[in-house]
């Protein structure tokens, strides 16, 4: 498809480069994607998007995704798994790091953080990234963290859960606490969320030697729908000292990486259907799709990314305006 595009859009492409001998063939393009160093390409991508976005990101959501068809049969290669950093407010991909599989996110996340400018940002990560070295990396770069807390941290989760229950039972008599309640209704469901922030937890930081730990967040959610009522309580640890209403916004903002990036990659860019799978090609092609995603996001107007992609195919001037923005 790319080679065919180049042949048919040569006049458009020559607005940007001479292409004296035409555009690369199918095999040449395949070789380029396969041998290009993906880490160097990603570092260039991070530098580019930093210049593109201008103002630093306020909240950065980090999450992993698997490109499900980027594998070879008979166990020759595993599907590409990538950890991406996503600016929740700007809705831009800030960077990505490739990992061997989901379990290696713990190794990839610090490497991704080291490549990025984080000063003043709030980094949110799910339970896989709830690790002391990751918290230390974020704090060392003068940023704050909000990390989901599950059983992978052993006694820390138990201590937090027990402490929160005790303080709620005695009306927060021995700790500074703030609470915020919000209700949403959509598609026949009613969602109620109560966010509680327990501040001044030096004892917990000292007991578990957790870098920069300042507060614990509890989110109790109740979902009522046609199938019945579901309840869930989630816990987070954070270096922030913010009231519950602001923490509720930050916690909810983390899921923008699922709705505004992963979903778009799958449903608009058809990432899970992509069969590019030779050497470094899957990783490099994903970076290219992230470039396209950011260019579409950065374009003015209210059209969806799906429609903007169609407009770029129909209108050479619109496509050129995306590239030169």
């Amino acid at each position: 498809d790319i080679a065919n595009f180049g042949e048919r859009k040569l006049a458009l492409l020559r607005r940007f480069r001479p292409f004296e001998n035409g555009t690369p063939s199918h095999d040449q393009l395949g070789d380029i994607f396969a041998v290009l160093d993906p880490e160097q390409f990603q570092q260039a991508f991070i530098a580019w998007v930093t210049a593109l976005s201008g103002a630093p990101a306020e909240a950065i959501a980090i999450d992993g995704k698997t490109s499900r068809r980027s594998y070879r049969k008979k166990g020759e290669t595993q599907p590409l798994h990538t950890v991406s950093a996503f600016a929740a407010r700007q809705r831009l991909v800030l960077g990505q790091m490739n990992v061997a599989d989901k379990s290696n996110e713990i190794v990839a996340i610090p490497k991704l953080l080291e490549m990025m400018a984080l000063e003043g940002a709030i980094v949110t990560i799910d339970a896989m990234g709830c690790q002391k070295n990751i918290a230390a990396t974020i704090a060392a770069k003068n940023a704050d963290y909000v990390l989901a807390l599950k059983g992978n941290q052993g006694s820390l989760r138990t201590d937090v859960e027990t402490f929160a229950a005790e303080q709620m039972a005695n009306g927060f008599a021995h700790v500074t606490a703030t609470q915020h309640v919000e209700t949403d209704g959509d598609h026949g469901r009613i969602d109620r969320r109560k966010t509680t922030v327990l501040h001044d937890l030096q004892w917990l930081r000292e007991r578990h030697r957790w870098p920069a730990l300042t507060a614990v967040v509890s989110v109790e959610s109740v979902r009522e729908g046609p199938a019945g009522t579901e309840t869930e309580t989630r816990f987070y640890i954070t270096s922030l000292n913010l009231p519950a209403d602001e923490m509720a916004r930050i916690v909810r903002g983390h899921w923008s990486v699922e709705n505004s990036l992963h979903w778009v990659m799958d449903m608009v860019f058809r990432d899970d259907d992509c069969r590019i799978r030779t050497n470094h090609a899957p990783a490099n092609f994903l970076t290219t799709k992230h470039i396209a995603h950011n260019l579409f996001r950065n374009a003015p107007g209210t059209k969806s990314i799906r429609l903007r992609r169609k407009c770029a195919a129909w209108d050479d001037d619109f496509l050129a305006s995306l590239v030169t923005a």
Side-chain angles (χ1 to χ4, degrees):
D1 289 350
I2 300 173
N4 195 15
F5 176 90
E7 293 172 3
R8 295 176 180 273
K9 294 288 188 177
L10 188 56
L12 168 66
L13 294 172
R14 281 177 172 161
R15 297 187 193 182
F16 306 99
R17 292 291 185 270
F19 289 101
E20 295 178 358
N21 299 313
T23 53
S25 67
H26 168 278
D27 290 348
Q28 289 171 325
L29 287 166
D31 290 342
I32 291 169
F33 277 111
V35 303
L36 186 66
D37 184 327
E39 189 164 326
Q40 292 292 321
F41 191 22
Q42 288 157 14
Q43 288 177 352
F45 171 85
I46 290 171
W48 168 75
V49 76
T50 300
L52 177 71
S53 58
E58 297 171 354
I60 300 173
I62 293 182
D63 196 32
K65 182 185 182 302
T66 300
S67 299
R68 302 199 176 279
R69 301 192 75 187
S70 59
Y71 65 91
R72 289 185 179 274
K73 294 181 179 179
K74 299 181 181 179
E76 293 180 19
T77 59
Q78 296 297 315
L80 172 71
H81 190 79
T82 306
V83 175
S84 297
F86 187 70
R89 180 176 61 83
Q90 295 100 326
R91 295 194 295 174
L92 295 175
V93 185
L94 300 178
Q96 61 274 322
M97 178 64 64
N98 310 318
V99 298
D101 53 52
K102 186 173 178 62
S103 63
N104 284 330
E105 286 186 18
I106 296 172
V107 178
I109 291 173
K111 292 177 64 177
L112 175 59
L113 293 171
E114 289 289 355
M115 293 168 62
M116 299 171 59
L118 299 177
E119 185 171 357
I122 301 168
V123 180
T124 63
I125 315 176
D126 65 14
M128 180 68 75
C130 188
Q131 305 290 330
K132 289 181 181 178
N133 66 316
I134 291 175
T137 300
I138 295 170
K141 295 180 79 73
N142 296 318
D144 286 292
Y145 61 79
V146 179
L147 307 178
L149 180 60
K150 291 188 178 179
N152 63 330
Q153 282 300 319
S155 61
L156 177 61
R157 163 74 190 221
T158 302
D159 286 351
V160 167
E161 189 170 358
T162 301
F163 178 72
E166 290 175 349
Q167 295 305 315
M168 289 179 188
N170 65 24
F172 307 110
H174 307 297
V175 69
T176 303
T178 57
Q179 288 188 308
H180 174 71
V181 178
E182 54 189 338
T183 302
D184 295 327
D186 194 15
H187 301 294
R189 298 191 306 265
I190 298 176
D191 293 327
R192 296 184 181 88
R193 291 176 301 278
K194 181 168 71 174
T195 301
T196 303
V197 181
L198 306 176
H199 307 268
D200 307 326
L201 299 180
Q202 184 175 351
W203 69 269
L204 189 65
R205 181 171 63 249
E206 292 176 350
R207 179 171 179 173
H208 291 275
R209 301 185 181 278
W210 199 274
L213 176 62
T214 300
V216 166
V217 183
S218 165
V219 180
E220 301 173 66
S221 62
V222 179
R223 171 173 292 183
E224 300 177 4
T229 301
E230 300 176 5
T231 61
E232 181 185 19
T233 301
R234 301 185 302 276
F235 290 97
Y236 302 84
I237 57 174
T238 179
S239 60
L240 293 166
N241 189 21
L242 295 176
D245 57 337
E246 295 186 42
M247 287 303 309
R249 176 180 57 82
I250 293 169
V251 168
R252 290 202 70 190
H254 175 78
W255 300 110
S256 64
V257 69
E258 293 283 352
N259 301 327
S260 298
L261 178 60
H262 295 341
W263 187 90
V264 170
M265 284 292 108
D266 284 340
M267 303 307 295
V268 179
F269 287 87
R270 313 303 300 179
D271 184 55
D272 276 347
D273 293 335
C274 183
R275 294 306 306 270
I276 294 175
R277 55 190 187 276
T278 303
N279 298 336
H280 299 314
N284 289 323
F285 199 63
L286 179 61
T287 301
T288 303
K289 283 186 279 191
H290 282 166
I291 292 172
H293 169 276
N294 285 357
L295 290 174
F296 285 122
R297 287 286 191 200
N298 202 47
T302 59
K303 294 183 177 67
S304 67
I305 289 186
R306 179 191 62 82
L307 186 53
R308 289 178 182 182
R309 290 188 75 203
K310 287 188 174 183
C311 290
W314 296 331
D315 185 342
D316 284 355
D317 290 336
F318 176 67
L319 177 56
S321 74
L322 293 174
V323 176
T324 57

